[in-house]
PDB file of all heavy atoms in Angstrom:
ATOM      1  N   GLN A 552      24.101 -68.330  39.675  1.00  0.00           N
ATOM      2  CA  GLN A 552      22.806 -67.595  39.855  1.00  0.00           C
ATOM      3  C   GLN A 552      22.952 -66.159  39.554  1.00  0.00           C
ATOM      4  O   GLN A 552      21.934 -65.433  39.427  1.00  0.00           O
ATOM      5  CB  GLN A 552      22.299 -67.714  41.283  1.00  0.00           C
ATOM      6  CG  GLN A 552      22.114 -69.231  41.745  1.00  0.00           C
ATOM      7  CD  GLN A 552      21.607 -69.347  43.138  1.00  0.00           C
ATOM      8  OE1 GLN A 552      20.872 -68.450  43.684  1.00  0.00           O
ATOM      9  NE2 GLN A 552      22.137 -70.305  43.844  1.00  0.00           N
ATOM     10  N   ALA A 553      24.198 -65.665  39.372  1.00  0.00           N
ATOM     11  CA  ALA A 553      24.424 -64.160  39.208  1.00  0.00           C
ATOM     12  C   ALA A 553      24.768 -63.871  37.748  1.00  0.00           C
ATOM     13  O   ALA A 553      25.091 -62.750  37.449  1.00  0.00           O
ATOM     14  CB  ALA A 553      25.492 -63.718  40.127  1.00  0.00           C
ATOM     15  N   LYS A 554      24.696 -64.878  36.876  1.00  0.00           N
ATOM     16  CA  LYS A 554      25.216 -64.599  35.517  1.00  0.00           C
ATOM     17  C   LYS A 554      24.420 -63.564  34.788  1.00  0.00           C
ATOM     18  O   LYS A 554      24.996 -62.835  33.963  1.00  0.00           O
ATOM     19  CB  LYS A 554      25.177 -65.922  34.708  1.00  0.00           C
ATOM     20  CG  LYS A 554      26.341 -66.806  35.048  1.00  0.00           C
ATOM     21  CD  LYS A 554      26.396 -68.036  34.121  1.00  0.00           C
ATOM     22  CE  LYS A 554      27.603 -68.807  34.369  1.00  0.00           C
ATOM     23  NZ  LYS A 554      27.730 -70.062  33.469  1.00  0.00           N
ATOM     24  N   ASP A 555      23.168 -63.504  35.123  1.00  0.00           N
ATOM     25  CA  ASP A 555      22.334 -62.535  34.417  1.00  0.00           C
ATOM     26  C   ASP A 555      22.339 -61.152  35.113  1.00  0.00           C
ATOM     27  O   ASP A 555      21.617 -60.206  34.665  1.00  0.00           O
ATOM     28  CB  ASP A 555      20.890 -63.072  34.298  1.00  0.00           C
ATOM     29  CG  ASP A 555      20.869 -64.289  33.456  1.00  0.00           C
ATOM     30  OD1 ASP A 555      21.697 -64.403  32.528  1.00  0.00           O
ATOM     31  OD2 ASP A 555      19.975 -65.091  33.754  1.00  0.00           O
ATOM     32  N   LYS A 556      23.073 -60.979  36.154  1.00  0.00           N
ATOM     33  CA  LYS A 556      23.109 -59.731  36.924  1.00  0.00           C
ATOM     34  C   LYS A 556      24.023 -58.756  36.169  1.00  0.00           C
ATOM     35  O   LYS A 556      25.079 -59.058  35.813  1.00  0.00           O
ATOM     36  CB  LYS A 556      23.592 -60.017  38.384  1.00  0.00           C
ATOM     37  CG  LYS A 556      23.816 -58.785  39.147  1.00  0.00           C
ATOM     38  CD  LYS A 556      24.320 -59.266  40.518  1.00  0.00           C
ATOM     39  CE  LYS A 556      24.843 -58.007  41.269  1.00  0.00           C
ATOM     40  NZ  LYS A 556      25.986 -57.338  40.758  1.00  0.00           N
ATOM     41  N   ASP A 557      23.471 -57.505  36.020  1.00  0.00           N
ATOM     42  CA  ASP A 557      24.360 -56.494  35.535  1.00  0.00           C
ATOM     43  C   ASP A 557      25.458 -56.208  36.506  1.00  0.00           C
ATOM     44  O   ASP A 557      25.286 -56.075  37.696  1.00  0.00           O
ATOM     45  CB  ASP A 557      23.560 -55.170  35.192  1.00  0.00           C
ATOM     46  CG  ASP A 557      22.537 -55.404  34.099  1.00  0.00           C
ATOM     47  OD1 ASP A 557      22.795 -56.309  33.189  1.00  0.00           O
ATOM     48  OD2 ASP A 557      21.536 -54.730  34.046  1.00  0.00           O
ATOM     49  N   ILE A 558      26.638 -55.949  36.022  1.00  0.00           N
ATOM     50  CA  ILE A 558      27.759 -55.480  36.857  1.00  0.00           C
ATOM     51  C   ILE A 558      27.586 -53.960  37.233  1.00  0.00           C
ATOM     52  O   ILE A 558      27.511 -53.195  36.413  1.00  0.00           O
ATOM     53  CB  ILE A 558      29.123 -55.756  36.105  1.00  0.00           C
ATOM     54  CG1 ILE A 558      29.280 -57.202  35.741  1.00  0.00           C
ATOM     55  CG2 ILE A 558      30.250 -55.229  36.974  1.00  0.00           C
ATOM     56  CD1 ILE A 558      30.491 -57.483  34.956  1.00  0.00           C
ATOM     57  N   GLU A 559      27.629 -53.839  38.517  1.00  0.00           N
ATOM     58  CA  GLU A 559      27.448 -52.427  39.061  1.00  0.00           C
ATOM     59  C   GLU A 559      28.778 -51.676  38.923  1.00  0.00           C
ATOM     60  O   GLU A 559      29.794 -52.218  39.442  1.00  0.00           O
ATOM     61  CB  GLU A 559      27.012 -52.468  40.480  1.00  0.00           C
ATOM     62  CG  GLU A 559      26.868 -51.074  41.038  1.00  0.00           C
ATOM     63  CD  GLU A 559      26.521 -51.103  42.602  1.00  0.00           C
ATOM     64  OE1 GLU A 559      26.445 -52.198  43.051  1.00  0.00           O
ATOM     65  OE2 GLU A 559      26.455 -49.994  43.076  1.00  0.00           O
ATOM     66  N   ARG A 560      28.871 -50.605  38.195  1.00  0.00           N
ATOM     67  CA  ARG A 560      29.996 -49.902  38.052  1.00  0.00           C
ATOM     68  C   ARG A 560      30.047 -48.678  39.024  1.00  0.00           C
ATOM     69  O   ARG A 560      29.129 -47.904  39.048  1.00  0.00           O
ATOM     70  CB  ARG A 560      30.168 -49.390  36.639  1.00  0.00           C
ATOM     71  CG  ARG A 560      30.330 -50.539  35.597  1.00  0.00           C
ATOM     72  CD  ARG A 560      30.886 -50.163  34.313  1.00  0.00           C
ATOM     73  NE  ARG A 560      31.032 -51.255  33.433  1.00  0.00           N
ATOM     74  CZ  ARG A 560      31.981 -52.049  33.440  1.00  0.00           C
ATOM     75  NH1 ARG A 560      33.045 -51.939  34.257  1.00  0.00           N
ATOM     76  NH2 ARG A 560      32.040 -53.115  32.600  1.00  0.00           N
ATOM     77  N   VAL A 561      31.119 -48.591  39.831  1.00  0.00           N
ATOM     78  CA  VAL A 561      31.192 -47.606  40.830  1.00  0.00           C
ATOM     79  C   VAL A 561      31.907 -46.353  40.280  1.00  0.00           C
ATOM     80  O   VAL A 561      33.014 -46.471  39.682  1.00  0.00           O
ATOM     81  CB  VAL A 561      31.966 -48.102  42.116  1.00  0.00           C
ATOM     82  CG1 VAL A 561      32.077 -47.091  43.166  1.00  0.00           C
ATOM     83  CG2 VAL A 561      31.287 -49.409  42.629  1.00  0.00           C
ATOM     84  N   SER A 562      31.341 -45.202  40.478  1.00  0.00           N
ATOM     85  CA  SER A 562      31.956 -44.014  40.001  1.00  0.00           C
ATOM     86  C   SER A 562      33.187 -43.654  40.831  1.00  0.00           C
ATOM     87  O   SER A 562      33.174 -43.876  42.067  1.00  0.00           O
ATOM     88  CB  SER A 562      30.969 -42.838  40.122  1.00  0.00           C
ATOM     89  OG  SER A 562      29.882 -43.035  39.296  1.00  0.00           O
ATOM     90  N   VAL A 563      34.230 -43.223  40.186  1.00  0.00           N
ATOM     91  CA  VAL A 563      35.481 -42.943  40.919  1.00  0.00           C
ATOM     92  C   VAL A 563      35.673 -41.427  40.770  1.00  0.00           C
ATOM     93  O   VAL A 563      36.203 -40.989  39.668  1.00  0.00           O
ATOM     94  CB  VAL A 563      36.654 -43.744  40.414  1.00  0.00           C
ATOM     95  CG1 VAL A 563      37.951 -43.336  41.196  1.00  0.00           C
ATOM     96  CG2 VAL A 563      36.353 -45.173  40.480  1.00  0.00           C
ATOM     97  N   TYR A 564      35.279 -40.646  41.725  1.00  0.00           N
ATOM     98  CA  TYR A 564      35.550 -39.221  41.675  1.00  0.00           C
ATOM     99  C   TYR A 564      37.014 -38.949  42.016  1.00  0.00           C
ATOM    100  O   TYR A 564      37.721 -39.798  42.511  1.00  0.00           O
ATOM    101  CB  TYR A 564      34.720 -38.481  42.724  1.00  0.00           C
ATOM    102  CG  TYR A 564      33.269 -38.759  42.635  1.00  0.00           C
ATOM    103  CD1 TYR A 564      32.546 -39.610  43.488  1.00  0.00           C
ATOM    104  CD2 TYR A 564      32.455 -38.206  41.635  1.00  0.00           C
ATOM    105  CE1 TYR A 564      31.207 -39.869  43.411  1.00  0.00           C
ATOM    106  CE2 TYR A 564      31.108 -38.434  41.464  1.00  0.00           C
ATOM    107  CZ  TYR A 564      30.494 -39.248  42.403  1.00  0.00           C
ATOM    108  OH  TYR A 564      29.200 -39.539  42.301  1.00  0.00           O
ATOM    109  N   GLY A 565      37.528 -37.804  41.710  1.00  0.00           N
ATOM    110  CA  GLY A 565      38.888 -37.471  42.053  1.00  0.00           C
ATOM    111  C   GLY A 565      39.861 -37.777  40.940  1.00  0.00           C
ATOM    112  O   GLY A 565      41.004 -37.517  40.949  1.00  0.00           O
ATOM    113  N   GLN A 566      39.393 -38.462  39.879  1.00  0.00           N
ATOM    114  CA  GLN A 566      40.235 -38.789  38.801  1.00  0.00           C
ATOM    115  C   GLN A 566      40.279 -37.542  37.835  1.00  0.00           C
ATOM    116  O   GLN A 566      41.086 -37.507  36.972  1.00  0.00           O
ATOM    117  CB  GLN A 566      39.648 -39.956  38.057  1.00  0.00           C
ATOM    118  CG  GLN A 566      39.558 -41.225  38.874  1.00  0.00           C
ATOM    119  CD  GLN A 566      40.741 -41.557  39.645  1.00  0.00           C
ATOM    120  OE1 GLN A 566      41.773 -41.769  39.054  1.00  0.00           O
ATOM    121  NE2 GLN A 566      40.610 -41.679  40.974  1.00  0.00           N
ATOM    122  N   HIS A 567      39.351 -36.651  38.009  1.00  0.00           N
ATOM    123  CA  HIS A 567      39.489 -35.406  37.261  1.00  0.00           C
ATOM    124  C   HIS A 567      39.925 -34.227  38.238  1.00  0.00           C
ATOM    125  O   HIS A 567      39.819 -34.312  39.428  1.00  0.00           O
ATOM    126  CB  HIS A 567      38.062 -35.044  36.676  1.00  0.00           C
ATOM    127  CG  HIS A 567      36.931 -34.984  37.684  1.00  0.00           C
ATOM    128  ND1 HIS A 567      36.717 -33.911  38.477  1.00  0.00           N
ATOM    129  CD2 HIS A 567      36.046 -35.959  37.991  1.00  0.00           C
ATOM    130  CE1 HIS A 567      35.644 -34.130  39.208  1.00  0.00           C
ATOM    131  NE2 HIS A 567      35.283 -35.377  38.941  1.00  0.00           N
ATOM    132  N   HIS A 568      40.533 -33.248  37.657  1.00  0.00           N
ATOM    133  CA  HIS A 568      41.192 -32.179  38.402  1.00  0.00           C
ATOM    134  C   HIS A 568      40.262 -31.522  39.301  1.00  0.00           C
ATOM    135  O   HIS A 568      39.082 -31.316  39.021  1.00  0.00           O
ATOM    136  CB  HIS A 568      41.837 -31.218  37.371  1.00  0.00           C
ATOM    137  CG  HIS A 568      42.891 -30.372  38.036  1.00  0.00           C
ATOM    138  ND1 HIS A 568      43.824 -30.818  38.873  1.00  0.00           N
ATOM    139  CD2 HIS A 568      43.115 -29.022  37.912  1.00  0.00           C
ATOM    140  CE1 HIS A 568      44.640 -29.863  39.248  1.00  0.00           C
ATOM    141  NE2 HIS A 568      44.201 -28.765  38.699  1.00  0.00           N
ATOM    142  N   LYS A 569      40.734 -31.038  40.382  1.00  0.00           N
ATOM    143  CA  LYS A 569      40.098 -30.196  41.374  1.00  0.00           C
ATOM    144  C   LYS A 569      38.971 -30.853  42.100  1.00  0.00           C
ATOM    145  O   LYS A 569      37.924 -30.240  42.570  1.00  0.00           O
ATOM    146  CB  LYS A 569      39.512 -28.915  40.719  1.00  0.00           C
ATOM    147  CG  LYS A 569      40.502 -28.202  39.950  1.00  0.00           C
ATOM    148  CD  LYS A 569      41.764 -27.824  40.602  1.00  0.00           C
ATOM    149  CE  LYS A 569      42.791 -27.147  39.719  1.00  0.00           C
ATOM    150  NZ  LYS A 569      44.142 -27.123  40.225  1.00  0.00           N
ATOM    151  N   ASN A 570      38.935 -32.137  42.426  1.00  0.00           N
ATOM    152  CA  ASN A 570      38.095 -32.755  43.289  1.00  0.00           C
ATOM    153  C   ASN A 570      38.843 -33.871  44.057  1.00  0.00           C
ATOM    154  O   ASN A 570      39.558 -34.639  43.456  1.00  0.00           O
ATOM    155  CB  ASN A 570      36.955 -33.507  42.497  1.00  0.00           C
ATOM    156  CG  ASN A 570      35.761 -33.730  43.398  1.00  0.00           C
ATOM    157  OD1 ASN A 570      35.835 -33.663  44.673  1.00  0.00           O
ATOM    158  ND2 ASN A 570      34.628 -34.051  42.846  1.00  0.00           N
ATOM    159  N   TYR A 571      38.734 -33.766  45.386  1.00  0.00           N
ATOM    160  CA  TYR A 571      39.602 -34.620  46.187  1.00  0.00           C
ATOM    161  C   TYR A 571      38.864 -35.872  46.777  1.00  0.00           C
ATOM    162  O   TYR A 571      39.261 -36.434  47.805  1.00  0.00           O
ATOM    163  CB  TYR A 571      40.240 -33.788  47.374  1.00  0.00           C
ATOM    164  CG  TYR A 571      41.016 -32.603  46.956  1.00  0.00           C
ATOM    165  CD1 TYR A 571      41.169 -31.436  47.622  1.00  0.00           C
ATOM    166  CD2 TYR A 571      41.692 -32.682  45.634  1.00  0.00           C
ATOM    167  CE1 TYR A 571      41.966 -30.402  47.215  1.00  0.00           C
ATOM    168  CE2 TYR A 571      42.428 -31.661  45.247  1.00  0.00           C
ATOM    169  CZ  TYR A 571      42.583 -30.533  46.100  1.00  0.00           C
ATOM    170  OH  TYR A 571      43.456 -29.457  45.611  1.00  0.00           O
ATOM    171  N   ILE A 572      37.747 -36.219  46.169  1.00  0.00           N
ATOM    172  CA  ILE A 572      37.046 -37.401  46.732  1.00  0.00           C
ATOM    173  C   ILE A 572      37.246 -38.550  45.838  1.00  0.00           C
ATOM    174  O   ILE A 572      37.153 -38.504  44.628  1.00  0.00           O
ATOM    175  CB  ILE A 572      35.531 -37.087  46.912  1.00  0.00           C
ATOM    176  CG1 ILE A 572      34.848 -38.286  47.441  1.00  0.00           C
ATOM    177  CG2 ILE A 572      34.903 -36.690  45.570  1.00  0.00           C
ATOM    178  CD1 ILE A 572      33.342 -38.046  47.871  1.00  0.00           C
ATOM    179  N   THR A 573      37.521 -39.725  46.384  1.00  0.00           N
ATOM    180  CA  THR A 573      37.555 -41.020  45.590  1.00  0.00           C
ATOM    181  C   THR A 573      36.796 -42.027  46.382  1.00  0.00           C
ATOM    182  O   THR A 573      36.938 -42.216  47.565  1.00  0.00           O
ATOM    183  CB  THR A 573      39.042 -41.470  45.503  1.00  0.00           C
ATOM    184  OG1 THR A 573      39.835 -40.433  44.843  1.00  0.00           O
ATOM    185  CG2 THR A 573      39.128 -42.715  44.670  1.00  0.00           C
ATOM    186  N   GLU A 574      35.919 -42.692  45.718  1.00  0.00           N
ATOM    187  CA  GLU A 574      35.067 -43.684  46.399  1.00  0.00           C
ATOM    188  C   GLU A 574      35.592 -45.108  46.444  1.00  0.00           C
ATOM    189  O   GLU A 574      35.260 -45.864  47.253  1.00  0.00           O
ATOM    190  CB  GLU A 574      33.611 -43.739  45.755  1.00  0.00           C
ATOM    191  CG  GLU A 574      32.726 -42.554  46.072  1.00  0.00           C
ATOM    192  CD  GLU A 574      31.295 -42.776  45.625  1.00  0.00           C
ATOM    193  OE1 GLU A 574      30.992 -43.982  45.372  1.00  0.00           O
ATOM    194  OE2 GLU A 574      30.553 -41.808  45.657  1.00  0.00           O
ATOM    195  N   GLN A 575      36.507 -45.418  45.397  1.00  0.00           N
ATOM    196  CA  GLN A 575      36.911 -46.779  45.261  1.00  0.00           C
ATOM    197  C   GLN A 575      38.264 -46.968  45.958  1.00  0.00           C
ATOM    198  O   GLN A 575      39.123 -46.159  45.752  1.00  0.00           O
ATOM    199  CB  GLN A 575      36.935 -47.247  43.777  1.00  0.00           C
ATOM    200  CG  GLN A 575      37.196 -48.641  43.489  1.00  0.00           C
ATOM    201  CD  GLN A 575      35.958 -49.510  43.823  1.00  0.00           C
ATOM    202  OE1 GLN A 575      34.923 -48.979  43.873  1.00  0.00           O
ATOM    203  NE2 GLN A 575      36.200 -50.828  43.893  1.00  0.00           N
ATOM    204  N   ALA A 576      38.435 -48.143  46.595  1.00  0.00           N
ATOM    205  CA  ALA A 576      39.761 -48.543  47.088  1.00  0.00           C
ATOM    206  C   ALA A 576      39.781 -49.975  47.337  1.00  0.00           C
ATOM    207  O   ALA A 576      38.843 -50.530  48.066  1.00  0.00           O
ATOM    208  CB  ALA A 576      40.059 -47.770  48.482  1.00  0.00           C
ATOM    209  N   ASP A 577      40.757 -50.740  46.786  1.00  0.00           N
ATOM    210  CA  ASP A 577      40.685 -52.127  46.826  1.00  0.00           C
ATOM    211  C   ASP A 577      41.696 -52.709  47.862  1.00  0.00           C
ATOM    212  O   ASP A 577      41.759 -53.976  48.030  1.00  0.00           O
ATOM    213  CB  ASP A 577      41.085 -52.696  45.465  1.00  0.00           C
ATOM    214  CG  ASP A 577      40.051 -52.435  44.416  1.00  0.00           C
ATOM    215  OD1 ASP A 577      38.871 -52.350  44.740  1.00  0.00           O
ATOM    216  OD2 ASP A 577      40.473 -52.223  43.240  1.00  0.00           O
ATOM    217  N   SER A 578      42.285 -51.818  48.594  1.00  0.00           N
ATOM    218  CA  SER A 578      43.297 -52.281  49.497  1.00  0.00           C
ATOM    219  C   SER A 578      42.772 -53.209  50.741  1.00  0.00           C
ATOM    220  O   SER A 578      43.497 -53.970  51.210  1.00  0.00           O
ATOM    221  CB  SER A 578      44.092 -51.117  50.150  1.00  0.00           C
ATOM    222  OG  SER A 578      44.460 -50.229  49.095  1.00  0.00           O
ATOM    223  N   ALA A 579      41.539 -52.934  51.132  1.00  0.00           N
ATOM    224  CA  ALA A 579      41.057 -53.585  52.348  1.00  0.00           C
ATOM    225  C   ALA A 579      40.431 -54.890  52.194  1.00  0.00           C
ATOM    226  O   ALA A 579      40.426 -55.633  53.117  1.00  0.00           O
ATOM    227  CB  ALA A 579      40.039 -52.578  53.046  1.00  0.00           C
ATOM    228  N   SER A 580      39.937 -55.207  50.987  1.00  0.00           N
ATOM    229  CA  SER A 580      39.188 -56.462  50.850  1.00  0.00           C
ATOM    230  C   SER A 580      39.234 -57.232  49.595  1.00  0.00           C
ATOM    231  O   SER A 580      38.962 -58.390  49.551  1.00  0.00           O
ATOM    232  CB  SER A 580      37.684 -56.102  51.054  1.00  0.00           C
ATOM    233  OG  SER A 580      37.178 -55.383  49.954  1.00  0.00           O
ATOM    234  N   LYS A 581      39.679 -56.571  48.483  1.00  0.00           N
ATOM    235  CA  LYS A 581      39.599 -57.130  47.105  1.00  0.00           C
ATOM    236  C   LYS A 581      38.164 -57.610  46.561  1.00  0.00           C
ATOM    237  O   LYS A 581      38.067 -58.429  45.676  1.00  0.00           O
ATOM    238  CB  LYS A 581      40.523 -58.457  47.058  1.00  0.00           C
ATOM    239  CG  LYS A 581      42.012 -58.103  47.186  1.00  0.00           C
ATOM    240  CD  LYS A 581      42.863 -59.408  47.042  1.00  0.00           C
ATOM    241  CE  LYS A 581      44.297 -59.093  47.118  1.00  0.00           C
ATOM    242  NZ  LYS A 581      45.186 -60.338  47.028  1.00  0.00           N
ATOM    243  N   LEU A 582      37.236 -57.146  47.268  1.00  0.00           N
ATOM    244  CA  LEU A 582      35.817 -57.517  46.931  1.00  0.00           C
ATOM    245  C   LEU A 582      35.144 -56.552  45.975  1.00  0.00           C
ATOM    246  O   LEU A 582      34.042 -56.774  45.572  1.00  0.00           O
ATOM    247  CB  LEU A 582      34.991 -57.562  48.243  1.00  0.00           C
ATOM    248  CG  LEU A 582      35.380 -58.716  49.207  1.00  0.00           C
ATOM    249  CD1 LEU A 582      34.602 -58.488  50.528  1.00  0.00           C
ATOM    250  CD2 LEU A 582      34.979 -60.038  48.643  1.00  0.00           C
ATOM    251  N   GLY A 583      35.853 -55.519  45.630  1.00  0.00           N
ATOM    252  CA  GLY A 583      35.308 -54.509  44.622  1.00  0.00           C
ATOM    253  C   GLY A 583      34.290 -53.700  45.212  1.00  0.00           C
ATOM    254  O   GLY A 583      33.382 -53.146  44.501  1.00  0.00           O
ATOM    255  N   ILE A 584      34.277 -53.523  46.554  1.00  0.00           N
ATOM    256  CA  ILE A 584      33.194 -52.705  47.182  1.00  0.00           C
ATOM    257  C   ILE A 584      33.764 -51.261  47.398  1.00  0.00           C
ATOM    258  O   ILE A 584      34.968 -50.988  47.322  1.00  0.00           O
ATOM    259  CB  ILE A 584      32.693 -53.293  48.626  1.00  0.00           C
ATOM    260  CG1 ILE A 584      33.956 -53.484  49.499  1.00  0.00           C
ATOM    261  CG2 ILE A 584      32.112 -54.666  48.290  1.00  0.00           C
ATOM    262  CD1 ILE A 584      33.577 -54.110  50.757  1.00  0.00           C
ATOM    263  N   THR A 585      32.843 -50.340  47.678  1.00  0.00           N
ATOM    264  CA  THR A 585      33.262 -49.003  47.860  1.00  0.00           C
ATOM    265  C   THR A 585      33.836 -48.716  49.199  1.00  0.00           C
ATOM    266  O   THR A 585      33.665 -49.544  50.175  1.00  0.00           O
ATOM    267  CB  THR A 585      32.103 -48.049  47.570  1.00  0.00           C
ATOM    268  OG1 THR A 585      31.106 -48.211  48.648  1.00  0.00           O
ATOM    269  CG2 THR A 585      31.452 -48.276  46.231  1.00  0.00           C
ATOM    270  N   ILE A 586      34.386 -47.519  49.468  1.00  0.00           N
ATOM    271  CA  ILE A 586      34.871 -47.165  50.784  1.00  0.00           C
ATOM    272  C   ILE A 586      33.781 -47.119  51.759  1.00  0.00           C
ATOM    273  O   ILE A 586      33.926 -47.522  52.921  1.00  0.00           O
ATOM    274  CB  ILE A 586      35.596 -45.793  50.667  1.00  0.00           C
ATOM    275  CG1 ILE A 586      36.935 -45.895  49.841  1.00  0.00           C
ATOM    276  CG2 ILE A 586      35.931 -45.269  52.033  1.00  0.00           C
ATOM    277  CD1 ILE A 586      37.544 -44.556  49.569  1.00  0.00           C
TER     278      ILE A 586
END
């Protein structure tokens, strides 16, 4: 039922210099959800 659903892409801050925030972390669930 989800084949036509667009995949939501989560922005990952902190990958560029001088910003210490990161929203994505897969350690807790493997579900691809944000922190």
Side-chain angles (χ1 to χ4, degrees):
Q552 302 178 37
K554 282 187 175 181
D555 296 328
K556 170 182 171 295
D557 291 334
I558 299 174
E559 178 184 359
R560 299 199 175 274
V561 179
S562 299
V563 181
Y564 305 104
Q566 306 306 306
H567 53 85
H568 198 45
K569 310 306 180 198
N570 198 349
Y571 298 153
I572 183 173
T573 303
E574 284 195 14
Q575 188 75 17
D577 296 327
S578 309
S580 68
K581 292 183 179 177
L582 291 170
I584 58 179
T585 66
I586 293 175

